[in-house]
């Protein structure tokens, strides 16, 4: 994907257009509201701050070529979902009699600089990002004086951000949303010639995934209302990929792009959902959303480096491109893994347990470098959120140094989560003739059964690419040998701060004391976590 050579998009808006806009107003200055992943006008801290400080505001979204050309890491379907969200945001501004959303294209610093040179202030919501985004925001602050407004419930500028963290987040969730009065401020805009449609044409964005939801605040609110009505069914729907498709909220892509704020969702559920296990479980997931986002705020390296230095490069010497390719294609010979990977590629969706299964299988059984797998997920997920994707991958793979391994058995997951084979045969149709009793391990189906149903394992569907039991034991031995040193490193203040454990620095110190090299069991290593809890 890259810009068309025949009609490359210019950097917009032009400096003269911005200066002309500035001269038309009654005041010399106004405030640009730089939207990034906060694509709503309600409970938006940056917008509320701009409206409070200015007589004129100009809502702006900058299409950064770095996210849309061949360097970008998002599939076309996620970009199309983003474009839906932007069109919806434009409507939100029109609905309050504003000029709508101004679209720009180019390096955000250059674009914003044109407004700053013309006397405009710029505000944006503070957002945890990886290294690229953090450098971009630092440049914007230092060169242009962009003001970043916090309001997402995360803890900033604290020596120990995890101390009292849950109480702070709970207080934020219960707090009043950020508000502004559209009648008190003029909403300006500038014509740039850029639109989501033109950008899609210029960069050749052609979504191929199916069953992708429509983006925007309107669809998000409809999903929230519908989910609240059936929230009692939520606990029994989260693990099976068949049940999870309709039984979970489906709100994650909308939260990722900020069509709704986490606080809005919490308030709606708190006020309108019946009390019970479904409500409490879902609310806990909102806390987990903030927990993993706090991790990225505390250390942007989650996206590209193992949080525990002992595990930096783990599995790198075993990198096998053929194994990685088989995993990506869904041709490993393990039906639940293959069905999940094909579902991910086709729809951009996968429920949490299947994401965890595929990550575990990739890192623990295929024993491949974690970041390649995490990048593949981030590319294809419609709800691809760097804070959640990469921190979850590292946590699932065991790269933090906490005790316990989340090692999923792909055969058991077929038996437990898809006993009738509905999910497996939907995505691996070549196994449809095989009786459901053999879908956990097709290679073990008697030859007489294979002949009877007209399927030959090894031809229609591959044999397992690895011996599961042998690979599992080999990994546990390798990982266990390195684990005491990894636990010991959590005693280092810098590494403990990176890990951003929910229990804070004290929890990291305790792990180091209990599991570090000085107290390591020479025959041990971390025990496998009880996966019935996940």
């Amino acid at each position: 994907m890259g810009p068309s050579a025949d009609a490359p998009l210019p950097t917009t808006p032009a400096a003269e257009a911005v200066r002309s806009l500035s001269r038309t107003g009654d005041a010399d200055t106004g405030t640009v509201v730089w939207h990034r992943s906060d694509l709503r006008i309600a409970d938006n801290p940056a917008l509320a701050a701009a409206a409070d400080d200015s007589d004129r505001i100009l809502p702006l979204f900058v299409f950064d070529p770095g996210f849309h050309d061949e360097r970008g890491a998002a599939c076309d379907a996620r970009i199309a979902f983003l474009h839906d969200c932007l069109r919806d945001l434009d409507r939100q501004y029109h609905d309050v009699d504003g000029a709508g959303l101004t679209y720009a294209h180019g390096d955000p610093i250059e674009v914003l600089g044109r407004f700053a040179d013309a006397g405009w202030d710029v505000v944006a919501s503070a957002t945890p990002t990886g290294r690229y985004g953090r450098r971009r925001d630092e440049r914007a602050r230092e060169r242009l004086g962009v003001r970043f407004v916090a309001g997402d419930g995360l803890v900033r500028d604290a020596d120990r951000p995890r101390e009292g963290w849950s109480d702070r987040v709970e207080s934020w969730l219960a707090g009043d949303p950020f508000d502004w009065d559209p009648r008190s401020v003029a909403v300006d805009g500038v014509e740039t010639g850029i639109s989501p449609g033109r950008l899609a044409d210029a960069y050749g964005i052609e979504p191929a995934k199916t069953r992708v939801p429509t983006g925007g605040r309107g669809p998000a609110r409809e999903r929230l209302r519908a989910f609240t009505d059936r929230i009692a069914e939520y606990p029994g729907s989260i693990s099976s990929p068949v049940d999870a498709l309709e039984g979970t909220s489906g709100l994650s892509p909308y939260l990722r792009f900020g069509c709704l704020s986490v606080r809005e969702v919490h308030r709606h559920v708190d006020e309108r959902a019946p009390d019970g296990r479904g409500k409490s479980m879902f609310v806990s997931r909102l806390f987990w959303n903030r927990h993993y986002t706090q991790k990225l705020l505390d250390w942007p390296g989650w996206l590209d480096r193992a949080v525990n230095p002992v595990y930096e490069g783990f599995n790198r010497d075993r990198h096998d491109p053929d194994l990685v390719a088989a995993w990506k294609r869904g041709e490993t010979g393990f039906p639940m893994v293959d069905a999940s990977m094909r579902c991910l590629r086709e729809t951009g969706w996968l429920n949490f347990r299947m994401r965890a299964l595929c990550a575990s299988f990739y890192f623990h059984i295929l024993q491949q470098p974690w970041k390649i797998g995490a990048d593949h997920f981030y590319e294809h997920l419609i709800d691809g959120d760097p804070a959640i994707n990469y921190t979850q991958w590292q946590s699932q793979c065991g790269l933090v140094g906490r005790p316990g391994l989340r090692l999923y058995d792909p055969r058991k997951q077929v038996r437990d989560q898809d006993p009738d084979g509905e999910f497996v045969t939907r995505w691996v149709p070549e196994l449809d003739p095989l009786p459901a009793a053999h879908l956990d391990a097709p290679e073990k189906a008697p030859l007489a059964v294979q002949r009877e149903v007209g399927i030959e394992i090894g031809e229609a569907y591959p044999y397992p690419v690895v011996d599961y039991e042998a690979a599992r034991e080999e990994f546990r031995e390798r990982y266990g040998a390195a684990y005491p040193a990894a636990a010991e490193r959590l005693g280092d203040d810098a590494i403990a701060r990176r890990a951003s454990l929910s229990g804070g620095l004290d929890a990291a110190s305790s792990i180091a004391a209990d599991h570090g090299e000085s107290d390591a069991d020479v025959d041990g290593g971390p025990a496998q976590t009880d996966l019935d809890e996940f």
Side-chain angles (χ1 to χ4, degrees), residues 88 91 213-230 248-251 254 259-260 265 268:
D88 190 279
R91 287 192 291 270
T214 301
R217 183 172 176 82
R221 295 179 70 178
E222 291 176 7
R223 282 181 175 264
L224 177 58
R225 286 191 291 266
F227 173 69
T228 303
D229 291 341
R230 51 181 169 78
T248 53
S249 72
L251 291 172
Y254 301 98
C259 301
L260 298 170
V265 173
H268 182 93

Side-chain angles (χ1 to χ4, degrees), residues 37 41 52 114 149 167 180 197 222 236 269 281 355-356 362 378 416 457 467 505 507:
S37 57
I41 68 172
D52 188 53
R114 295 178 179 182
V149 182
D167 291 340
W180 67 294
E222 291 176 7
V269 169
M281 282 186 66
R355 297 187 198 195
Y362 173 89
Y378 183 67
D416 290 353
I457 302 302
D467 182 308
L505 302 183

Side-chain angles (χ1 to χ4, degrees), residues 412-445:
K412 182 175 183 294
Q413 293 304 310
V414 176
R415 298 191 295 268
D416 290 353
Q417 308 304 337
D418 193 32
D420 297 328
E422 181 178 348
F423 182 73
V424 165
T425 56
R426 163 67 178 84
W427 295 107
V428 190
E430 57 266 41
L431 290 178
D432 185 53
L434 202 63
H438 298 293
L439 290 177
D440 60 336
E443 75 281 3
K444 297 182 179 179

